[in-house]
């Protein structure tokens, strides 16, 4: 399937349209959307700025070059791996617990406001530094295959920096 028309389904709370050939997806009228899974499509753009109730977003294996999630302050889980993202603004996503942003083109990743973060996969990017000092809930971390020169973390209330 290469298109889907959901414009009249404005009460949707859950949308699963993964493993298709979608090149566009308009969810701007779906303000009640809680979960969106559009993994493995041909999306280069995904506008979720009107989806303020979104708690889970899975847009893995698309062709996204940008992703604006600043309006999604309720977001708990974001899986945006294997795209073409060079920037990801997470400053408004304080409830985020799961972040999988591996295999992108990220040069920086500011997760200082993501104090609830438990799982972080940011491997295979272009990161030169990673500050995890505010992520005291972190349990699972994968950050290999970057260009890290500075790494700051807190373990058992002790700071660690390399």
């Amino acid at each position: 399937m290469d298109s889907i028309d959901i414009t009249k389904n404005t009460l949707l709370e859950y949308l699963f349209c993964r493993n298709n050939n979608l090149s566009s997806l308009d969810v701007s009228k779906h303000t009640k959307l809680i979960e969106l899974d559009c993994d493995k499509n041909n999306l280069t753009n995904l506008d979720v700025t009107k989806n303020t109730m979104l708690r889970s977003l899975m847009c893995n294996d698309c062709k996204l070059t940008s992703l604006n999630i600043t309006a999604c302050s309720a977001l708990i889980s974001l899986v945006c791996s294997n795209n073409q993202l060079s920037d990801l603004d997470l400053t408004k996503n304080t409830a985020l617990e799961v972040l999988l942003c591996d295999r992108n083109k990220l040069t920086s990743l500011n997760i200082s406001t993501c104090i609830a973060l438990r799982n972080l996969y940011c491997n295979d990017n272009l990161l030169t530094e990673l500050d995890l000092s505010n992520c005291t809930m972190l349990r699972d971390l994968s950050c290999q295959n970057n260009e890290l020169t500075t790494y700051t973390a807190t373990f058992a209330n002790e700071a660690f920096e390399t």
Side-chain angles (χ1 to χ4, degrees), residues 3-144:
S3 67
I4 183 171
D5 183 1
I6 55 171
T7 53
K8 294 182 177 153
N9 308 101
T10 57
L11 297 178
L12 279 177
E13 292 181 358
Y14 302 91
L15 175 58
F16 303 96
C17 55
R18 66 182 332 182
N19 291 321
N20 287 292
N21 291 315
L22 299 177
S23 57
S24 66
L25 181 62
D26 184 0
V27 291
S28 60
K29 295 179 182 169
H30 302 87
T31 57
K32 296 185 183 321
L33 206 56
I34 295 170
E35 187 169 345
L36 172 59
D37 183 347
C38 57
D39 281 356
K40 299 182 180 178
N41 276 290
N42 292 321
L43 302 172
T44 55
N45 184 39
L46 181 62
D47 185 356
V48 291
T49 55
K50 304 279 193 244
N51 309 107
T52 58
M53 295 178 66
L54 203 59
R55 294 175 51 90
S56 176
L57 174 58
M58 291 164 278
C59 52
N60 193 42
D61 289 314
C62 292
K63 297 176 180 171
L64 298 175
T65 55
S66 65
L67 183 62
N68 183 349
I69 54 168
T70 55
C72 305
S73 60
L75 201 61
I76 292 174
S77 177
L78 173 62
V79 180
C80 58
S81 302
N82 202 25
N83 281 291
Q84 302 296 313
L85 301 174
S86 58
D87 184 47
L88 194 57
D89 184 352
L90 302 166
T91 54
K92 306 288 186 197
N93 306 103
T94 58
L96 200 61
E97 294 179 13
V98 176
L99 173 60
L100 280 62
C101 58
D102 51 303
R103 294 170 287 150
N104 276 289
K105 296 181 178 186
L106 298 172
T107 55
S108 65
L109 188 63
N110 181 354
I111 51 174
S112 61
T113 58
C114 302
I115 57 173
L117 200 61
R118 292 180 171 273
N119 304 80
L120 173 61
Y121 285 54
C122 59
N123 49 286
D124 298 297
N125 276 291
L126 303 170
L127 302 175
T128 56
E129 62 183 70
L130 187 60
D131 185 352
L132 304 170
S133 56
N134 289 346
C135 303
T136 58
M137 303 295 288
L138 199 62
R139 299 293 177 258
D140 194 2
L141 171 65
S142 178
C143 61
Q144 71 268 9

